[in-house]
Amino acid sequence: MKLLIVEDEIQLLKSLEDFASKESYFYDSVATLQGALERVDLYDYDCIVLDINLPDGNGFELLEILYRKEKSHGVIILSARDSLEDKLKGLGLGADDYLTKPFYFSELDARIKAIIRRKQFKTNKLVNFANLVVDPDQHQVGLNDLENSISLTKKEFAILTHLINNHKRVLTKVALAEYIWGDYVDEAQSFDFLFSQIKNLRRKLVKAGAEVEIRNIYGVGYQIEEI
């Protein structure tokens, strides 16, 4: 699960980053509208936590662009502006939720998880693919049920769920790496770090008896299939 945090208040931005790390979300964070526009052009996000008042514009502009481009990012607006007009405008432009500052991080977390379930997993709490059962909230995956759990690292779990969520298409190695590692991919000299994670994930799935295969589409990327 990957977030984009858009917030120009430095202290609140740091608190949001700490919250995302504590809850084991992958995230990118920016403090300007321009920074947010650049990120959504480069990467796909499960949810955008969006402040309305930004130094170089406002969050409504980002919503309008996402709407025009038919982007499927979930969006939660965070704003000190609690007028009904602002709420209706934000929701009308495609935001999924509107949370007024100040707020409880536990409430923000619950709303993020609800959006991710709706956007990525079609409102089902548990995801079934072949004989795998995935609980996105608890970061668990099991064989037939969660009692027979498969021990995965944080990144292995993120790769597996992203592949399952996009099982009808091939994900390029660049797109997959960017989803998991974000901007740090730009600093990488090779994709050995991705190959290593997928190799370990494949080994664990085979050992557990998972009826899936992560196929390497030569020259393109990866796709997960039932076998």
Side-chain angles (χ1 to χ4, degrees):
M1 300 177 188
K2 187 166 184 178
L3 309 181
L4 174 62
I5 302 169
V6 186
E7 173 58 60
D8 70 322
E9 295 179 30
I10 301 303
Q11 186 173 354
L12 179 54
L13 178 60
K14 179 62 168 58
S15 295
L16 287 165
E17 290 173 338
D18 290 343
F19 151 77
S21 295
K22 180 181 176 182
E23 297 299 328
S24 298
Y25 291 119
F26 297 102
Y27 70 89
D28 292 329
S29 59
V30 296
T32 63
L33 175 62
Q34 184 58 40
L37 292 173
E38 291 171 357
R39 290 301 191 281
V40 297
D41 276 342
L42 289 171
Y43 309 127
D44 290 328
Y45 296 95
D46 297 301
C47 186
I48 300 173
V49 179
L50 177 64
D51 185 22
I52 291 298
N53 295 317
L54 298 169
D56 58 341
N58 66 68
F60 292 136
E61 295 177 56
L62 178 62
L63 283 172
E64 290 172 349
I65 291 170
L66 293 175
Y67 182 81
R68 287 201 302 269
K69 293 185 176 181
E70 297 183 345
K71 294 279 190 175
S72 61
H73 308 289
V75 179
I76 297 177
I77 294 174
L78 294 183
S79 179
R81 297 157 60 169
D82 62 353
S83 72
L84 178 61
E85 181 181 354
D86 283 334
K87 292 180 180 178
L88 292 177
K89 182 176 181 179
L91 295 172
L93 287 171
D96 297 88
D97 211 336
Y98 194 111
L99 194 56
T100 303
K101 300 177 184 177
F103 57 88
Y104 292 102
F105 282 99
S106 58
E107 182 179 6
L108 174 61
D109 187 42
R111 296 189 184 208
I112 289 172
K113 285 184 168 64
I115 285 174
I116 289 173
R117 285 198 297 270
R118 291 198 301 269
K119 293 288 182 180
Q120 287 197 328
F121 300 108
K122 313 303 181 185
T123 75
N124 292 325
K125 180 177 175 60
L126 297 182
V127 180
N128 294 279
F129 185 78
N131 62 340
L132 292 178
V133 178
V134 181
D135 186 337
D137 284 357
Q138 300 300 318
H139 291 241
Q140 288 184 304
V141 57
L143 208 64
N144 298 313
D145 57 52
L146 294 175
E147 295 295 323
N148 301 302
S149 63
I150 303 172
S151 178
L152 300 180
T153 66
K154 177 181 173 182
K155 287 184 171 58
E156 289 167 356
F157 182 86
I159 290 170
L160 177 62
T161 54
H162 197 48
L163 285 168
I164 290 174
N165 187 50
N166 294 276
H167 68 273
K168 293 183 178 180
R169 63 190 181 100
V170 177
L171 293 176
T172 67
K173 63 179 183 292
V174 174
L176 190 55
E178 286 177 345
Y179 178 80
I180 306 300
W181 284 274
D183 290 341
Y184 294 104
V185 170
D186 298 335
E187 303 170 10
Q189 299 300 311
S190 72
F191 286 93
D192 288 348
F193 58 93
L194 176 62
F195 303 150
S196 176
Q197 294 287 339
I198 290 179
K199 179 181 178 181
N200 290 335
L201 176 58
R202 281 172 167 156
R203 175 178 53 80
K204 291 180 179 181
L205 292 173
V206 169
K207 183 178 180 180
E211 296 173 354
V212 300
E213 179 183 5
I214 299 175
R215 294 183 57 213
N216 182 6
I217 311 301
Y218 185 75
V220 183
Y222 297 94
Q223 184 174 22
I224 195 168
E225 293 182 347
E226 298 183 41
I227 56 176

